[in-house]
Each structure stands twice: as C-alpha cells, then as structure tokens.
Amino acid sequence: MAINHVDTVVVGGGIVGLAHALAAARRGDRVVLFERDEHAVGASIRNFGMIWAVGQQRGAIYQRALRSRDIWQEISAKTGLWAAPTGSLHLAQRPDELAVLEEFVATTAPARERGTTMITAAEAVKRGRAVREEGLIGAMWSPTEVNVDPRQAIPAVAGYLAEEYGVDVRFGTAVRGIAAPTVSTTAGEWRADRILVCSGNDFATLYPEVFAASGLVRCKLQMLRTGVQPDGWQLGPMLCGGLTLLHYAAFEDCTARAALDARMREELPFHREHGIHVLLSQTADGRLTIGDSHAYAATHDPFASEEINEAITTYLRGFARLPDPRITERWTGCYPSLRDGRTELVVDPEPGVTVVNGVGGAGMTLSFGLAEEVLAR
C-alpha cells in the first residue's frame, strides 16, 4: 500500500483544527487535515460567532484573543468573509452590576488602552439599537469584539486554507488510529513529522488514556435564533447583561463580583443552577442568535428544556428589545471543557504528536492565537 507523506497532519475540522492547519501552513508545512464528517456540524457552527476578547482571562489569554481577532480580520480582508467589528456592550441595570464593570475598567489597563470604557445609559441606547432604556443605569463599551457567522465562517476558513496555502482539506475522512509518524485513515496511510489531534468533543477515540486523565468534561448548552429581522435592521454591538459578569474569567478578580453573585443566586436561582447567562449577536443575513445555558457532565441526554429556553428569552427581554423576537431555530451544542481554570489542554502523548483540546466555549475567540503558540513550542 502506498504511503502519503506530508509535514503536518491535523485531525479535526472544527475551528481548533483549522487554526492549527493555518499556523502550520504559514510556517511552510505541507498540511493535510482530516475531518470525519462531510461538513462541520459540531460546536464550531453552533455558537454566537463572537470573537469575544473582552471576556477572556486577563494577561496572556486576553492577548491571545486579540491575536485571534487580528487573524479573523486578515482572513476577512482576503476572502470577503463577513467579520463585523461591532464591539460589545455590557449593560448594567443594578448598582452591583455597574460596580463590577466600573472596577473592571479601572483595574484593567490593557482593555482601557484599546478603548474599553464606561458610558452612560443614554450613550448605550444610542450605540445599540436593541438596548432597552427602561431600568438601564450604565454600560461598558468595548470596541475589540468581532462578529462572524459561524455557519459561514467555518467552511470559508477551510476553503481559504485550501486556496491560499494548498492545505489538503479532507472532510468525510475518518482517522482510524495513530502510531507516529503514521496516521491510518479511511483515505489510506499517511506519514508526517508532526501530528496535531484537535478532535473536539470526540475525545475518547484517539489517545483515550490522555483524555481519561485530563479532567475534561462535556458542556451542553442550549441556544436559539430568530428569523431575519425586518427592513435590514442591524443589531450593532453585541449585547449582554449582568449574568454574563458571573460567567467570564475577565471579571473573576473583581471584588464587587461577590455581591452580584449573592444577589443573583437569591433572585435567579434557576438561571444560576443551569449556568444561564444571556448574549445577543447577529448573523450575516440578519438573524439574531440568543443564548445560552451550561451543564457539565461526562455524558448528556440529547433533550432540550423549554424551561431553560424560556428563562433565556425572559432575561433577554429585560435588557433588549427586538423588532421581531419570534424564534425560528432551537438547538443544543456540546463542547469539551476544563473545570479547573485551565484555558486549554495541550499534551504530547508520544513523540511527534500533540493533542490540543479543552478550549471550552472560547474556541472562536482563542484558537488562531493558541495555534501559533502551539506551533512555536
């Protein structure tokens, strides 16, 4: 049997795999990427499309997010991929929410240097067409966030890799096993100096012992989407409310967060129990994406809870007003998550093989920057 030779094999066609294929190709490698499904169907297309730098852990992870944002914009400029630099608004309706935002801005110089600032309620209403003025007492504006449409972006990046760098992108090709430097696939045997396993939610097939010891669990989420908004209506900045301040690592060190957490646990116990925080983004064709909830376990049932969906949409109505709020799509997603504070899992199970996983819900935000760091090791 003939054996194919390349410099780098990437396993997995989600955003993590695509990002590592790009990083390898930019180093001059001959790259082949294998994805078992005929097209992307996992977490990489089931998200908001938010490149959400402002929510990431301060320091190196924030810088990684900014680097990823730059790469998204580079790809957009070369391909016409829709990547809107909308920025984001964190809306405060209670004093404890405002206190967290004010503390974050006051104590986070890198964000301030990039334009993150507190604005008045009136200014927030002017910036965001969906912002509900009633009850709003202030907001945080961040200009660094970029909105992509994940269902378009993932295949567009795959096409860009093939056309710009000659990456051999093989969807519908399963990897049966790895014994470095050989990769056995349904498209034959391949040899490579570097093998990158970016298998996402399927982390039990290749190197199961690595994942058994990794601490990874699966996070199940629920999301919703409206139809196209009327008359070309545009959301503008992506939006979130007070619950989001309890979800993202950027705010964990804020001393004011404890009081907010205590109040939310008392007033919104269902939301806290089900990991609900509410974000709003828009797709390229004008639909609005709403979510989400978070449940962590090794295995999840496949069913969506309408009670969770109702909790999400009710909370959204408290800070946003949509021209046409009718829901046309509902779905669940599932992604690997590390619950101990690590932002990624990077392991070398044998010489020449690197496993990259566990980026959680920040894959769109962090993967391009992470891939450059992994390839530079």
Side-chain angles (χ1 to χ4, degrees), residues 165-307:
Y165 293 99
V167 174
D168 187 356
V169 180
R170 294 183 175 235
F171 281 88
T173 304
V175 173
R176 294 179 171 136
I178 299 172
T182 301
V183 179
S184 176
T185 81
T186 53
E189 303 290 306
W190 297 72
R191 291 176 66 90
D193 297 328
R194 180 188 293 116
I195 302 165
L196 298 161
V197 179
C198 308
S199 51
N201 200 44
D202 178 16
F203 54 79
T205 302
L206 301 172
Y207 300 103
E209 69 285 353
V210 170
F211 292 108
S214 69
L216 277 177
V217 296
R218 292 180 173 90
C219 178
K220 175 186 174 182
L221 53 86
Q222 291 185 202
M223 298 183 68
L224 311 97
R225 183 168 288 167
T226 72
V228 176
Q229 295 301 292
D231 303 319
W233 184 91
Q234 292 295 303
L235 173 65
M238 296 178 281
L239 302 182
C240 65
L243 277 171
T244 294
L245 304 177
L246 301 177
H247 180 78
Y248 281 108
F251 306 103
E252 287 180 350
D253 295 334
C254 294
T255 58
R257 188 176 179 275
L260 173 62
D261 190 20
R263 177 176 67 81
M264 290 294 196
R265 290 185 183 280
E266 180 178 351
E267 295 183 3
L268 297 172
F270 182 84
H271 293 69
R272 298 300 288 138
E273 177 187 356
H274 294 281
I276 294 170
H277 79 115
V278 181
L279 299 164
L280 181 67
S281 68
Q282 195 163 32
T283 62
D285 64 356
R287 303 171 194 272
L288 296 170
T289 306
I290 305 162
D292 55 357
S293 59
H294 299 80
Y296 300 93
T299 304
H300 293 279
D301 67 54
F303 309 111
S305 161
E306 197 57 27
E307 190 175 6

Side-chain angles (χ1 to χ4, degrees), residues 108-190:
T108 314
R112 288 199 311 274
E113 291 166 1
R114 288 164 178 81
T116 300
T117 187
M118 296 301 299
I119 61 175
T120 67
E123 290 169 329
V125 171
K126 288 181 181 179
R127 286 182 185 266
R129 297 184 68 186
V131 174
R132 182 179 290 276
E133 187 173 9
E134 297 87 350
L136 187 66
I137 61 174
M140 184 182 80
W141 157 251
S142 170
T144 54
E145 284 61 62
V146 172
N147 191 188
V148 301
D149 187 334
R151 299 184 195 181
Q152 292 183 4
I154 296 303
V157 172
Y160 171 70
L161 289 174
E163 294 168 16
E164 184 78 6
Y165 293 99
V167 174
D168 187 356
V169 180
R170 294 183 175 235
F171 281 88
T173 304
V175 173
R176 294 179 171 136
I178 299 172
T182 301
V183 179
S184 176
T185 81
T186 53
E189 303 290 306
W190 297 72

